Amino acid sequence: MSSGKDLDAVLEQLEKEGVPLHRFVERVGNKNLAVLLRRRFLERKLGVSLSSVGSTIIDFEEVEGRNIENAIGATQIPLAVVGPLRVEGEYARGDFYVPMATTEGALVAGVNRGAKAITLSGGARCRVVRDGMTRAPLFRLPSVADAVEFVRWVETSFSEIKKAAESTTRFGKLVRVEPYIMGNLVWLRFVYTTGDAMGMNMATIATDAACRYILEKYPGSVTLVALSGNMCVDKKPAHINALLGRGKTVIAEALIPSHVLEKVFRARAEDIHRVNVEKNLLGSSYAGSLSFNAHFANIIAAIFIATGQDVAQVVESSMGWTSTEVRDSGSLYIAVTLPSLEVGTVGGGTQLPTQREALSIMGVAGSGNPPGTNARKLAEIIAATVLAGELNLLAALARNELASAHAKARRGELAASRRG
Amino acid sequence: MSSGKDLDAVLEQLEKEGVPLHRFVERVGNKNLAVLLRRRFLERKLGVSLSSVGSTIIDFEEVEGRNIENAIGATQIPLAVVGPLRVEGEYARGDFYVPMATTEGALVAGVNRGAKAITLSGGARCRVVRDGMTRAPLFRLPSVADAVEFVRWVETSFSEIKKAAESTTRFGKLVRVEPYIMGNLVWLRFVYTTGDAMGMNMATIATDAACRYILEKYPGSVTLVALSGNMCVDKKPAHINALLGRGKTVIAEALIPSHVLEKVFRARAEDIHRVNVEKNLLGSSYAGSLSFNAHFANIIAAIFIATGQDVAQVVESSMGWTSTEVRDSGSLYIAVTLPSLEVGTVGGGTQLPTQREALSIMGVAGSGNPPGTNARKLAEIIAATVLAGELNLLAALARNELASAHAKARRGELAASRRG
Amino acid sequence: MSSGKDLDAVLEQLEKEGVPLHRFVERVGNKNLAVLLRRRFLERKLGVSLSSVGSTIIDFEEVEGRNIENAIGATQIPLAVVGPLRVEGEYARGDFYVPMATTEGALVAGVNRGAKAITLSGGARCRVVRDGMTRAPLFRLPSVADAVEFVRWVETSFSEIKKAAESTTRFGKLVRVEPYIMGNLVWLRFVYTTGDAMGMNMATIATDAACRYILEKYPGSVTLVALSGNMCVDKKPAHINALLGRGKTVIAEALIPSHVLEKVFRARAEDIHRVNVEKNLLGSSYAGSLSFNAHFANIIAAIFIATGQDVAQVVESSMGWTSTEVRDSGSLYIAVTLPSLEVGTVGGGTQLPTQREALSIMGVAGSGNPPGTNARKLAEIIAATVLAGELNLLAALARNELASAHAKARRGELAASRRG
Amino acid sequence: MSSGKDLDAVLEQLEKEGVPLHRFVERVGNKNLAVLLRRRFLERKLGVSLSSVGSTIIDFEEVEGRNIENAIGATQIPLAVVGPLRVEGEYARGDFYVPMATTEGALVAGVNRGAKAITLSGGARCRVVRDGMTRAPLFRLPSVADAVEFVRWVETSFSEIKKAAESTTRFGKLVRVEPYIMGNLVWLRFVYTTGDAMGMNMATIATDAACRYILEKYPGSVTLVALSGNMCVDKKPAHINALLGRGKTVIAEALIPSHVLEKVFRARAEDIHRVNVEKNLLGSSYAGSLSFNAHFANIIAAIFIATGQDVAQVVESSMGWTSTEVRDSGSLYIAVTLPSLEVGTVGGGTQLPTQREALSIMGVAGSGNPPGTNARKLAEIIAATVLAGELNLLAALARNELASAHAKARRGELAASRRG
């Protein structure tokens, strides 16, 4: 649109006026140009080259102000697929390829090996057992008696509060409000179904409206301390989400026959079970962990990046348990339980070009029919992929255990066990 | 390199032979071509378009097998900067622009506002107070008496074990081995300094060598259960990392005068302090959280993506505390403590083109002189940016509290308080 | 009843026959005599004197087999009272003396000081905000789909299950069943109101009946792993009880004017608040604690021993938060929240002679009218006493802070701060 | 010493003068008389009888002011023994009877059954693997840089600080000081060996002296926030104690052959292992617990009451893990790990008559030779008894699982499974 020289002239003018970077858009009237100018500004000021960052297909007319501010270009992360992975869920049924964006070598290969074993064993059976996005504003009352009174009023006013909350959203439905009292403080944990959106923004806007209704109508004295009082709880590891769920609570399981364990991993069910008990259960408990698994986070992070999820939510989305049993004839029952997987197929970063394509690989781009089914399908596929990752890593470690007897390094195991 | 038609012919041949995706490289002898073929395979099989995913500057000759396997292209994430942000650390001194890759609207703008307030107040003072990457293999002994004996042997053999571990690495130095006994199980938590690398792979490879030494030399009976016994603890939220640290333990603080609070946020120190106590401390504790902050994870995730860190490590890197005090004349003392920030400026995803450019914006691309100084500088800048994010969000919530009195929605606050 | 010589003859006969201690009752046909013989047995065998242990008013005809087996006498623990303590609860109203059995010097004196300050300030306002005893059996199903199916069946069979459970008890009422799924495992957390009994045995017996009903009627395959699956959760510190409550969730608060703080403690509200934030909130969180208080356990343990509660339940009954605010004119708002205080006034050790007298001091011995009111009254009095203990210790520490400026040891403070 | 009439006259005079209960001693010049008068005061004021409370062998001339204030008499708790229990520790070797004071029916019988199985299997092997009492004062510095500086000064001044601390105690030795920084706050966790005393008071007094030294000598500005900053951490459940230990870290284990399991419990090793994994590990983790066992607290509480320990410390002393393995020929390896068992044989309530007799039953009354050996011997015996309790309850539950198949209530199992 303009030559380097022209750009520099514009930039010099902006600098002379002391226009901060976030005001560039309003000054030059074009978001893509503003991105270019900011990049140029940094290159000149810092003496660096940002040409790779500038090589992007993102149209900032669409994105600046919606997904980001002060943009200067894009980050590119390698994208791969694992699969085919057979999934037998309620929403996802069939063989899937799962996109993972990562920079960690050996991760995709390992998950792929797990996927192979699961698929050979008939697939991962999945269930979404809870679904609800939360937001928990915090109120302060004059006294505990007032707090009790306030909670009672909220309970009896539920239908009006629900109406106020839902007035802000087409898909969000307020399911319940959980009250928690401490001294004279009250947290109200609002729980919503949110269609195919991950729903945090939807829940926040609806809860804001609900709070305004409450503050206006409640006959007594009450103060809103914060629209989020950290009992939601968003982007922090917390037991409340493990116990009560946030987003989707999803479980994936598989029964792996001994011959598949032998063929794919050269491992035995009892050894895998033992590693799970001693590492994932005893080890995690000794570490004071809220997560009793080997490396859920690796798989969650890679799929979240690939599909435009809110990556900071890897924190709680990756919490969960791996549980195992040795069953008849040396087969291994293995399950992963993800109590608070927060995913969507619309909104946020899911609209971006590469992210949307990644979703399309799994057949979950955009809204489902009925709404909510795409997000749940995605949740089931993710859980199945996490199962593949856990199975592979535990099997690699179990094999390692035997190997250790004759103290021989095996590079493949090492790479596999690097994670988790 | 070849026309679509030729590609399809190659692909049909591969499919006919049943070659799995991860074998494409060895068949076509060119990693970039393999990426293209896999993409084409998915497009044909699934009836989707992956053209955006294919539009990448990444050279898979460099990346496939090192950072990823089964690659099909790249994910593009919008990249922005916040700044200038003044940092007064031991390693980072001056005004910095900080790259953040995110799809969450309003995040960058909010952190930028916090950065402005901090810079106006003289900057964020930072200190790295601990530094060490960990790996904790798990051993099983016949009995508790044997476990005690084993630990004693490890302690007296420390220098030999150190030699074995360090034989695998140029920069990694084994600092200490922390033993933890449970029944007849023993976890040995190896702690290393790792130069400018985040160091998890370095630590794993070195610990693997140490374990082989131990297994070979220990005169008694001992079994290695797993090279990682979940007390490291990697990519799981756990109190051990909050207490003892993993990666960098880094603290950033600032003293914000009342006039800056008023000017930038229209908020008062006592209100901000109160939100911090009631939301971040009481709220998090009620939620059973290991993190006592508002939204560290948002900032950590965005910088990690931008700079090629291991994004799954956002889980523990985002743990930490925000602490506040009201000081003289209504000024606000605010500090963020990040006990286990795992970052590097070499290795992993830091070599990728856009990631390396992002690091260069902060002057921390590649190795520091002496080694280790770049990673610590990065840690200080990240902590300062986290401080900016916390300050901004707490101030927005504190203002919200007053606003709530007259029950008026304010869009800006809403957006700001959406996070956390 | 018999001389020492006769006793020895009986004992020699029992020893000759190799009768174990727990069979003495059936052999000598008198429980008090069996107690005496066991004591004598130990004295002879070990060469010790147990005369103090033998000096007891307990009638083992009443107690052996109900409260204990293999009895040899009694332990005597010093008993004191604190008070008068003014309580303004829903069930407890007036000035109370509170019995505490302890061997820890300075504890009673400190709590008494806190009681004085509270009473001078108009008393402790108390509320029981939740009430329910829990028992959570654990079931194993063949698969996650079966687990989901099972939970649905339990939900639709609630009224029958309730009938089965309540058939075993006069006062116990099943309020709800909370299901928690992990993989193919299902915990059902049964919640009961239990009248004036603490109710754990009542809940266990009722839940056992419910489980038998479930096992008999459920059409599918299901296994009961354990009648208690550790999600109840009894006698272990756990966030689930902090969050959802077990026994009584009770809150006590007071507003202490500055002149009372000055007179009783020579301390200021802002210093006390600061100690609470930095010690009880930040310190506890750094320690990875589930309890955010100074020394609830001291008060709970002493009252539990005095009143015949299940002392092992001090573990969860002492969890909770102390929250503070500085209010107008330098007054201090202070509240204690005890989420899982497990107490009763009938059953268990409450029937024993000294324990019953201790309950009578507070006017809560035996059943209330209506049932449940005595146990709630006791819960309110305990919370008020805990509040007194916290207030005193925080004030002592806050004073200590100032004292530290001129580095002078003050013995009284030391003793006070020894606890917690 | 005086008739009821005379007493009432004295009491009326005291009441007329408004003498509070805690001033009775100084007025009547006799502690036992003061106890009597207080009891009488309550009886008259409240219209209750406290004759049982008054029937005590405790001499309050010894106890009032040392172990308690405001005493009115004593609480009597039934006392039993379990045993013989074979212990193969470092300090405790032989067959022991273990005193337990409890009001919970079926507890002693169950532990006794476990003791029988262990003894039949050759005994419980025990090891004290760590020993140290802690106290963690909290300091506030102006800034994080000052905090770092302060910690360095403390480290270089260790020998002087140690001298100051140890000047207050004959047996206490300062082993190390662990520093923890958060923002501008610093906790110094002092760790002491304390001979045969539990040592909390010893540690507090020594740390107070150390703090005074620090405050006097430190050249910079520093404030002591509190002598205990909740990282000690005393009487609160906290992961720091599980991880790093407080008091004794002690482990007991046993290998129970299948024929003993069958004979004593009619249970199989694999079923017991399974209950342990699914209840104690998975169940506890789901509950957000810090304790991974069935009912350590029951045993700890009963022995603590019997032997004059600080009963409020049951909170952290009962934390810990039960770990199990199925070994050859269906034998069961079972271990209990108690990370923070706080016990002593001198000081506190151990001097009281019945408590001292209880200690003498185990041969651990008073000081050991050398000092410290009696406390460690007691720790080993307690751990072995806890092992007995866990083994019995897990076996009962495992049997229950089978029983459930034919849905038949068995009262014995019920009672056994009631706990935990």
Side-chain angles (χ1 to χ4, degrees), chain C residues 279-280 292-296 322 390 393-394 420, chain D residues 230 234 236:
Chain C
K279 167 194 170 73
N280 283 349
F292 297 78
N293 62 64
H295 71 145
F296 283 17
T322 296
E390 286 292 292
L393 181 45
L394 292 177
Chain D
N230 273 23
D234 190 46
K236 270 87 67 182

Side-chain angles (χ1 to χ4, degrees), chain B residues 279-295:
Chain B
K279 168 194 169 75
N280 283 350
L281 306 188
L282 293 174
S284 281
S285 71
Y286 211 159
S289 182
L290 288 170
S291 256
F292 296 79
N293 63 64
H295 71 144

Side-chain angles (χ1 to χ4, degrees), chain C residues 56 67 69 72-73 75-77 79 103 106 135 140 181 201 235-237 274 286 289 294 298 418 420, chain D residues 52 56 67 69 72-73 75-77 79 103 106 135 140 181 201 235-237 278 286 289 294 298 357 418:
Chain C
T56 174
N67 291 110
E69 304 81 37
I72 62 166
T75 298
Q76 296 195 16
I77 300 183
L79 177 69
T103 63
R135 187 46 95 193
R140 192 189 309 118
I181 305 181
N201 285 355
K235 298 170 182 171
K236 271 87 66 184
R274 194 155 186 172
Y286 211 158
S289 183
N298 273 322
R418 205 153 58 199
Chain D
S52 300
T56 175
N67 291 111
E69 305 80 38
I72 61 166
T75 298
Q76 296 196 17
I77 301 182
L79 178 69
T103 63
R135 185 46 94 195
R140 193 189 308 118
I181 305 181
N201 285 353
K235 299 170 181 171
K236 270 87 67 182
E278 293 176 359
Y286 212 159
S289 183
N298 273 323
E357 285 182 2
R418 203 152 61 199

Side-chain angles (χ1 to χ4, degrees), chain A residues 56 67 69 72-73 75-77 79 103 106 135 140 181 201 235-237 274 278 286 289 294 298 418, chain B residues 56 67 69 72-73 75-77 79 103 106 135 140 181 201 235-237 274 278 286 289 294 298 418 420:
Chain A
T56 175
N67 291 109
E69 305 80 38
I72 63 167
T75 299
Q76 296 195 17
I77 301 182
L79 178 69
T103 63
R135 186 45 95 193
R140 191 189 310 118
I181 305 181
N201 286 353
K235 298 170 183 171
K236 270 88 66 181
R274 193 154 188 173
E278 293 176 359
Y286 211 159
S289 183
N298 273 324
R418 203 154 58 202
Chain B
T56 174
N67 293 110
E69 305 80 37
I72 62 166
T75 299
Q76 296 195 18
I77 300 183
L79 178 69
T103 62
R135 187 46 96 193
R140 193 190 308 118
I181 305 181
N201 285 355
K235 298 170 183 172
K236 270 88 66 183
R274 193 155 187 172
E278 294 176 357
Y286 211 159
S289 182
N298 273 324
R418 203 152 60 200

Side-chain angles (χ1 to χ4, degrees), chain B residues 13 66 107 190 228 230 253 274 276 298 310 318 338 375 406 410-411:
Chain B
Q13 180 60 25
R66 175 186 293 181
L107 174 61
F190 287 71
S228 159
N230 274 24
E253 67 181 5
R274 193 155 187 172
N276 189 51
N298 273 324
D310 188 340
S318 66
L338 291 81
H406 46 96
R410 266 188 279 161
R411 180 65 203 178

Side-chain angles (χ1 to χ4, degrees), chain C residues 393-408:
Chain C
L393 181 45
L394 292 177
L397 292 166
R399 207 169 55 231
N400 183 63
E401 180 184 0
L402 305 176
S404 71
H406 45 95
K408 221 169 93 186

Side-chain angles (χ1 to χ4, degrees), chain B residues 256-272:
Chain B
I256 316 292
S258 61
H259 72 270
V260 174
L261 293 175
E262 173 56 30
K263 180 184 166 170
V264 180
F265 304 114
R266 296 195 318 282
R268 296 183 315 149
E270 43 271 66
D271 296 322
I272 296 174

